[in-house]
Amino acid sequence: QVQLVESGGGSVQPGGSLTLSCTTSRNILQLYRTGWYRQTPGKERELVAQVSADGNIDYADSILGRFSISRDIAKNTVYLQMASLKREDTAVYFCYAKFFSDWGTPFDYWGQGTQVTVSS
């Protein structure tokens, strides 16, 4: 079982910045992958950014050059630094983790979600 606790959402004007944090209950290096998804009403949840245990990073094309994912291994925390925010970045952001059991069974875990609103 992995618990994910998110923080850092809120409201910001276009062009502003926010940083989201997600602290995991398990050693972050034991998680195959951690990252962030986002969802708006009526749409499917979409990948924003993710980092693998070995440090490999993937970003969605829509946020390239504006968002950055990083992690603090000592704190078991992954961050999403968001800059140059646009109205279309408004969504509920979910922290995500994939874990493989000793038997190789994959498990997906999600945080409770944090609202990010970009509005003037």
Side-chain angles (χ1 to χ4, degrees), residues 19-74:
T19 297
L20 306 182
S21 302
C22 174
T23 300
T24 73
S25 62
R26 182 176 282 271
N27 184 330
I28 201 168
L29 293 179
Q30 295 178 336
L31 301 173
Y32 177 75
R33 187 178 292 143
T34 55
W36 295 91
Y37 280 68
R38 66 186 182 186
Q39 188 170 25
T40 54
K43 292 189 177 181
E44 290 190 0
R45 201 168 290 187
E46 63 174 5
L47 174 68
V48 178
Q50 62 187 8
V51 54
S52 299
D54 62 1
N56 191 43
I57 291 175
D58 296 308
Y59 290 109
D61 289 343
S62 60
I63 56 86
L64 275 174
R66 299 188 299 119
F67 292 11
S68 176
I69 190 169
S70 62
R71 56 184 181 177
D72 186 328
I73 294 170

Side-chain angles (χ1 to χ4, degrees), residues 68-98:
S68 176
I69 190 169
S70 62
R71 56 184 181 177
D72 186 328
I73 294 170
K75 295 182 179 179
N76 291 323
T77 299
V78 61
Y79 302 96
L80 184 67
Q81 296 168 293
M82 304 183 291
S84 301
L85 281 160
K86 304 175 181 180
R87 288 182 175 81
E88 51 263 42
D89 295 318
T90 296
V92 178
Y93 285 70
F94 294 90
C95 183
Y96 160 77
K98 180 178 284 292

